[in-house]
Amino acid sequence: PVTTCLVLGATALVFTVCFAPVAQAVGRDATAYGEDFVRQGIQWPEGGPVLAMPSANSDAAGAEYIADRLEAMELEDGPYGGELAEPLTELARHYRVQGDYEQAQKYYAEAIALGGNQPLYLNNLGYSRYLSGDMVSAEQAFSEALRVDPSYKRAWRNLGLIFAKQKRYEEALEAFGKTEKVYEAYNDVGYVAMVAGRLDDADRFFQEAMRLSPTYYELAEQNAKRLLVIRSSGQGAQQGP
């Protein structure tokens, strides 16, 4: 039997998708065709012709075409194999950058189902949920990423961001503190509060950041000055949720 290889366009990120009739799979579970026939051309030496995945700036029609082909492969040849997880995350990233968070979450979830609960995929799913405004589900995804890898700094920072936006300041300080000094955590919580319009809260955290820092903390000082400018522009009242 002849193995078929897809070649779809040309973008910055290139992948190979090769597959053969499932019935011809030898020595493997025939339903997991992707494990044998899907290859990433730029990372694996057995890669051949390429399947070009959409970059962040790809047009919608190109992304939809690739999504349709991936789904057609699943319908025709069986469930996705694990090696399609990374191409699916690239497709998800495209939709996230374009602001289509529903589609982004769909493809991140499919990648997680294929590649296991990898912290990177879970974090990206959580970030798409955060951007869509679903804080509860975003927190769940970040927490799951940390359950898999408690040292995953990106998820800790994203979790700290969610806590700070929800005025769960002690939890935010603890989360940010997993990746940085305590005075830096105070500054970061203050910054989130300032962006949210909670100026009194922001000032309190900036002042504490400068107090806790063993040396002059320029970043917190700059944020405190920025806060004064915001107040002087007529936004001095406590604002935000």
Side-chain angles (χ1 to χ4, degrees), residues 60-143:
E64 289 175 4
Y65 176 67
I66 293 174
D68 288 344
R69 287 304 303 131
L70 289 172
E71 291 175 5
M73 288 172 64
E74 182 179 32
L75 290 173
E76 295 168 4
D77 299 297
Y80 289 144
E83 285 139 346
L84 270 180
E86 190 169 346
L88 285 167
T89 63
E90 291 299 330
L91 192 60
R93 188 176 74 90
H94 163 81
Y95 282 115
R96 189 190 74 201
V97 171
Q98 298 301 321
D100 189 341
Y101 304 126
E102 182 177 352
Q103 284 291 90
Q105 292 175 54
K106 170 187 174 183
Y107 288 111
Y108 279 133
E110 290 186 4
I112 291 168
L114 292 177
N117 292 332
Q118 295 190 27
L120 174 63
Y121 297 166
L122 286 160
N123 179 74
N124 289 343
L125 173 62
Y127 191 60
S128 294
R129 290 173 174 176
Y130 163 77
L131 291 174
S132 73
D134 187 352
M135 298 296 176
V136 174
S137 294
E139 180 181 340
Q140 291 173 347
F142 295 142
S143 297

Side-chain angles (χ1 to χ4, degrees), residues 176-190:
F176 282 131
K178 297 289 187 179
T179 70
E180 58 192 8
K181 304 293 186 182
V182 62
Y183 58 88
E184 293 172 327
Y186 271 88
N187 177 73
D188 285 348
V189 172

Side-chain angles (χ1 to χ4, degrees), residues 14-233:
V14 290
F15 295 88
T16 300
V17 169
C18 297
F19 58 95
V22 176
Q24 304 300 327
V26 178
R28 297 292 296 272
D29 179 0
T31 63
Y33 79 94
E35 295 293 340
D36 284 323
F37 306 119
V38 180
R39 297 290 183 264
Q40 293 175 288
I42 59 172
Q43 292 190 14
W44 288 327
E46 63 267 35
V50 299
L51 164 65
M53 296 302 294
S55 68
N57 297 319
S58 297
D59 60 72
E64 289 175 4
Y65 176 67
I66 293 174
D68 288 344
R69 287 304 303 131
L70 289 172
E71 291 175 5
M73 288 172 64
E74 182 179 32
L75 290 173
E76 295 168 4
D77 299 297
Y80 289 144
E83 285 139 346
L84 270 180
E86 190 169 346
L88 285 167
T89 63
E90 291 299 330
L91 192 60
R93 188 176 74 90
H94 163 81
Y95 282 115
R96 189 190 74 201
V97 171
Q98 298 301 321
D100 189 341
Y101 304 126
E102 182 177 352
Q103 284 291 90
Q105 292 175 54
K106 170 187 174 183
Y107 288 111
Y108 279 133
E110 290 186 4
I112 291 168
L114 292 177
N117 292 332
Q118 295 190 27
L120 174 63
Y121 297 166
L122 286 160
N123 179 74
N124 289 343
L125 173 62
Y127 191 60
S128 294
R129 290 173 174 176
Y130 163 77
L131 291 174
S132 73
D134 187 352
M135 298 296 176
V136 174
S137 294
E139 180 181 340
Q140 291 173 347
F142 295 142
S143 297
E144 179 63 16
L146 292 168
R147 186 193 66 78
V148 177
D149 181 2
S151 67
Y152 193 58
K153 292 183 178 180
R154 192 174 299 177
W156 277 119
R157 291 197 59 78
N158 285 331
L159 201 56
L161 174 62
I162 283 183
F163 290 153
K165 286 182 72 70
Q166 296 176 330
K167 300 176 70 172
R168 296 159 62 183
Y169 292 136
E170 290 303 318
E171 292 172 277
L173 289 170
E174 181 179 357
F176 282 131
K178 297 289 187 179
T179 70
E180 58 192 8
K181 304 293 186 182
V182 62
Y183 58 88
E184 293 172 327
Y186 271 88
N187 177 73
D188 285 348
V189 172
Y191 186 82
V192 175
M194 181 172 67
V195 171
R198 300 194 292 268
L199 306 187
D200 292 343
D201 291 347
D203 184 56
R204 175 164 56 89
F205 283 107
F206 292 147
Q207 296 302 322
E208 187 66 7
M210 289 185 284
R211 188 188 71 81
L212 291 172
S213 178
T215 59
Y216 172 64
Y217 192 8
E218 182 178 2
L219 183 57
E221 177 73 19
Q222 290 175 348
N223 284 332
K225 290 179 179 178
R226 186 177 294 117
L227 188 61
L228 289 175
V229 172
I230 293 174
R231 288 191 188 279
S232 66
S233 68

